[in-house]
């Protein structure tokens, strides 16, 4: 059986991680521009000021994407490039960049998928309280409308918000992403609700104004537990843990996805947050649960062995890990596809999956990265197993199309199919990239 003929094969990126040109052509600043500069926040205090200089090199980059055989390419839009103050004045030059990017992709036979928000909140909105401000869903709606008016004649696939788990969990709870804060649950609950409202308002706006019939989703993440064995008890336990908020609170899947797909917060949230929990209006929950076309999800590792050292046994010693220290645990693809389809009943779209390695250009001029090929093969094969068992799997996006700014890790981690030399900005397609092309061409069949 395998994947359907129209399976969405591609690779992904995000604006702040690749574009650079952080204050060019009228772009406003965002929270990463401002707060990555504070010593202690990011590895070697690196910033995305230049990153992959994709803003200037997008044409050259798209040629490489074509060489990779990508059919689709997922990228995000920098809100502050389009609206320097976040609302109000539109920066035509910024919009023009994305319009040219879309044209260039289409000319290369690559279909664009757009993420509206991949963590780079405009600084001027942050000054007004950012997601704490109850106007923030309206700001996001205004921004969405500007983008939709400009690009929806050529773009069909829309994703509102990338990993809301990480916006709150990493940015305002753990404090290791911009704006590097650690706030109390009371604030985090309010901000979560505004982010969800922003998502819902954006979905409505896209459906109302898109010129081409849009296909709309968002791209959460969240811990997925893999059963210890094949027994029904083990599967039930893994499902229950994956659906629970207890261990992961703002990182959990259900905190974000239940409101979106069921129109209500998980019951657990009321127990866990107590008086910090809100009592949302029916109208709010209707906005949040505007119907979506797919369940997008970013998947990197399974929870079962996420903290291997906490295991009673020594089974963790020497297990395969990526350069992020994330355990290679491909079964998560199968179980995530199963569990999310079972719960939310939408086609599952893997909007990110990939690995960082310590790649370099070898003496022969190639970037030989057999581990990445093996990683992709393992994960995609398990995704195919789920498809074979009847789970509608819509697509797979490798993260990332090219090495880039890995947030708090700066340029230290390389996830790309394309190697980037950050000093010369020279690009080299990695061996895994050439192999990925074959995987796409065969629609995954080379794995059988
Ligand atoms: C993605 O998220 C990002 O979208 C991307 O920008 C980034 O470069 C890439 O991955 C590689 O890091 O939900 O409890 O399982 C970052 C990866 C994975 C970090 C899930 C937060 C949450 C832990 N995220 N993780 S949990």
């Amino acid at each position: 059986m395998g994947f359907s003929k129209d399976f969405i094969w591609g690779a992904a990126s995000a604006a702040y991680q690749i574009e650079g040109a952080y204050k060019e052509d009228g772009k406003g600043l965002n929270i990463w521009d401002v707060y990555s500069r504070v010593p202690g926040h990011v590895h070697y205090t690196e910033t995305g000021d230049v990153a992959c200089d994709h803003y200037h090199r997008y044409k050259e980059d798209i040629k490489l994407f074509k060489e990779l055989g990508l059919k689709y390419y997922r990228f995000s839009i920098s809100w502050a490039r389009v609206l320097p103050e976040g609302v109000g004045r539109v920066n035509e030059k910024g919009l023009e960049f994305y319009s040219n990017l879309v044209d260039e992709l289409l000319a290369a036979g690559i279909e664009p998928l757009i993420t509206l928000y991949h963590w780079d909140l405009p600084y001027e909105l942050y000054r007004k309280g950012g997601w704490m401000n109850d106007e923030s869903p309206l700001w996001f709606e205004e921004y969405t409308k500007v983008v939709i008016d400009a690009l929806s004649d050529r773009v069909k696939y829309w994703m509102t918000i990338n990993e809301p788990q990480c916006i709150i969990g990493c940015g305002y709870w753990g404090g290791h992403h911009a704006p590097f804060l650690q706030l109390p649950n009371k604030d985090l609950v309010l901000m979560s609700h505004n982010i969800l409202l922003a998502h819902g308002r954006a979905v409505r706006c896209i459906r109302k104004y898109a010129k081409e019939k849009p296909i709309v989703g968002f791209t959460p993440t969240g811990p997925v537990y893999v059963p210890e064995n094949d027994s029904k008890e083990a599967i039930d336990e893994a499902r229950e843990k994956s659906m629970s908020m207890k261990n992961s609170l703002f990182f959990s899947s259900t905190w974000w996805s239940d409101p979106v797909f069921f129109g209500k917060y998980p019951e657990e949230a009321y127990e866990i947050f107590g008086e910090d929990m809100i009592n949302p209006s029916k109208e709010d929950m209707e906005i949040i649960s505007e119907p979506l076309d797919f369940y997008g999800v970013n998947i990197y590792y399974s929870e079962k062995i996420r903290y291997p050292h906490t295991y009673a046994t020594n089974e963790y010693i020497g297990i395969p890990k990526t350069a992020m220290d994330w355990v290679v645990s491909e079964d998560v693809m199968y179980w995530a596809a199963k569990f999310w389809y079972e719960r939310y009943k939408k086609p599952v779209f893997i909007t990110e999956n990939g690995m960082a390695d310590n790649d370099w250009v070898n003496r022969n001029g190639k970037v030989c990265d057999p581990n990445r090929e093996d990683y992709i093969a393992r994960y995609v094969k398990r995704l195919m197993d789920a498809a074979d068992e009847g789970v509608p799997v819509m697509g797979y996006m490798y993260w990332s199309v090219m090495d880039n700014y890995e947030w708090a890790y700066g340029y230290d981690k390389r996830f790309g199919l394309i190697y980037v030399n950050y000093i010369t900005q020279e690009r080299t397609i990695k061996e895994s990239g050439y192999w990925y092309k074959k995987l796409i061409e065969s629609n995954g069949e080379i794995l059988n």
Side-chain angles (χ1 to χ4, degrees), residues 222-236:
V224 175
Y225 291 78
V226 161
E228 300 275 343
N229 56 51
D230 291 342
S231 70
K232 183 176 177 302
E233 292 71 32
I235 295 171
D236 287 347

Side-chain angles (χ1 to χ4, degrees), residues 108-286:
I110 301 169
E111 181 150 2
L113 295 89
I114 291 184
T115 311
L116 288 167
Y117 186 78
H118 202 123
W119 309 349
D120 45 359
L121 184 74
Y123 180 63
E124 290 304 322
L125 297 182
Y126 181 66
R127 289 183 59 209
K128 296 183 190 167
W131 299 114
M132 278 296 276
N133 190 319
D134 290 343
E135 300 278 299
S136 56
L138 297 170
W139 302 336
F140 192 64
E141 184 179 349
E142 180 180 333
Y143 156 62
T144 301
K145 173 82 164 54
V146 171
V147 174
I148 286 295
D149 284 349
L151 304 178
S152 68
D153 57 332
R154 288 157 288 160
V155 178
K156 287 200 292 274
Y157 291 89
W158 297 95
M159 298 166 199
T160 56
I161 288 177
N162 183 70
E163 294 191 9
Q165 281 84 355
C166 229
I167 300 174
I168 293 299
C170 304
Y172 302 86
W173 189 31
H176 51 279
H177 277 188
F180 303 93
L181 296 178
Q182 292 183 302
L183 302 178
N185 285 351
K186 185 170 178 54
D187 289 6
L188 302 178
V189 166
L190 291 171
M191 293 169 87
S192 296
H193 190 63
N194 281 337
I195 290 172
L196 284 166
L197 280 168
H199 156 82
R201 285 192 172 276
V203 177
R204 279 192 179 172
C205 176
I206 297 169
R207 296 237 190 261
K208 187 163 172 201
Y209 295 107
K211 295 167 194 156
E212 282 256 1
K213 191 173 185 323
I215 299 166
V216 192
F218 77 140
T219 59
T221 182
V224 175
Y225 291 78
V226 161
E228 300 275 343
N229 56 51
D230 291 342
S231 70
K232 183 176 177 302
E233 292 71 32
I235 295 171
D236 287 347
E237 191 198 340
R239 182 190 297 104
E240 202 184 299
K241 278 186 165 170
S242 303
M243 307 305 155
S244 168
M245 286 181 59
K246 288 219 169 61
N247 293 324
S248 35
L249 305 186
F250 296 97
F251 275 113
S252 68
S253 297
T254 50
W255 170 247
W256 299 96
S257 294
D258 278 13
V260 167
F261 291 96
F262 299 155
K264 57 177 193 203
Y265 285 100
E267 282 304 318
E268 267 179 316
Y270 295 84
E271 291 158 35
I272 293 172
F273 297 136
E275 60 183 25
D276 292 332
M277 187 55 190
I278 47 165
N279 213 340
S281 69
K282 204 169 147 264
E283 197 207 352
D284 275 9
M285 295 319 285
E286 268 168 25

Side-chain angles (χ1 to χ4, degrees), residues 17-28:
Q17 296 180 273
I18 67 167
E19 285 179 4
Y22 81 110
K23 54 174 180 186
E24 243 167 277
D25 291 342
K27 176 180 165 296

Side-chain angles (χ1 to χ4, degrees), residues 167-423:
I167 300 174
I168 293 299
C170 304
Y172 302 86
W173 189 31
H176 51 279
H177 277 188
F180 303 93
L181 296 178
Q182 292 183 302
L183 302 178
N185 285 351
K186 185 170 178 54
D187 289 6
L188 302 178
V189 166
L190 291 171
M191 293 169 87
S192 296
H193 190 63
N194 281 337
I195 290 172
L196 284 166
L197 280 168
H199 156 82
R201 285 192 172 276
V203 177
R204 279 192 179 172
C205 176
I206 297 169
R207 296 237 190 261
K208 187 163 172 201
Y209 295 107
K211 295 167 194 156
E212 282 256 1
K213 191 173 185 323
I215 299 166
V216 192
F218 77 140
T219 59
T221 182
V224 175
Y225 291 78
V226 161
E228 300 275 343
N229 56 51
D230 291 342
S231 70
K232 183 176 177 302
E233 292 71 32
I235 295 171
D236 287 347
E237 191 198 340
R239 182 190 297 104
E240 202 184 299
K241 278 186 165 170
S242 303
M243 307 305 155
S244 168
M245 286 181 59
K246 288 219 169 61
N247 293 324
S248 35
L249 305 186
F250 296 97
F251 275 113
S252 68
S253 297
T254 50
W255 170 247
W256 299 96
S257 294
D258 278 13
V260 167
F261 291 96
F262 299 155
K264 57 177 193 203
Y265 285 100
E267 282 304 318
E268 267 179 316
Y270 295 84
E271 291 158 35
I272 293 172
F273 297 136
E275 60 183 25
D276 292 332
M277 187 55 190
I278 47 165
N279 213 340
S281 69
K282 204 169 147 264
E283 197 207 352
D284 275 9
M285 295 319 285
E286 268 168 25
I287 295 172
I288 290 172
S289 59
E290 193 66 32
L292 296 182
D293 298 308
F294 57 86
Y295 192 77
V297 60
N298 298 348
I299 294 178
Y300 289 89
Y301 47 82
S302 96
E303 210 58 18
K304 175 192 165 201
I305 39 185
R306 176 163 170 213
Y307 300 114
H309 54 279
T310 60
Y311 272 52
T313 63
N314 61 3
E315 65 186 279
Y316 66 90
I317 295 179
I319 49 173
K321 288 190 300 185
T322 73
M324 294 292 281
D325 259 356
W326 294 349
V327 176
V328 179
S329 42
E330 63 270 23
D331 285 347
V332 70
M333 287 297 254
Y334 173 84
W335 289 105
K338 282 228 160 211
F339 287 160
W340 298 136
Y341 178 57
E342 191 181 87
R343 187 175 183 89
Y344 298 119
K345 313 222 164 16
K346 294 284 172 189
V348 174
F349 186 174
I350 306 301
T351 39
E352 282 178 32
N353 169 249
M355 69 165 275
D357 210 346
N358 299 312
D359 309 302
W360 67 85
V361 181
N362 300 169
R363 287 173 300 161
N364 60 8
K366 297 179 177 180
V367 179
C368 299
D369 56 341
N371 284 347
R372 183 170 288 103
E373 173 183 325
D374 191 63
Y375 178 100
I376 300 172
R378 284 168 184 266
Y379 278 68
V380 172
K381 181 79 181 98
R382 291 301 275 141
L383 184 63
M384 236 177 177
D385 289 344
D388 281 341
E389 288 179 22
V391 176
V393 182
M394 203 168 122
Y396 174 88
M397 294 278 123
Y398 180 78
W399 180 273
S400 170
V401 74
M402 61 173 112
D403 293 343
N404 61 44
Y405 182 80
E406 177 53 29
W407 307 113
Y409 294 91
Y411 297 98
D412 194 45
K413 308 291 179 191
R414 296 180 176 277
F415 277 86
L417 295 171
I418 299 169
Y419 178 92
V420 178
N421 176 327
Y422 297 110
I423 311 302

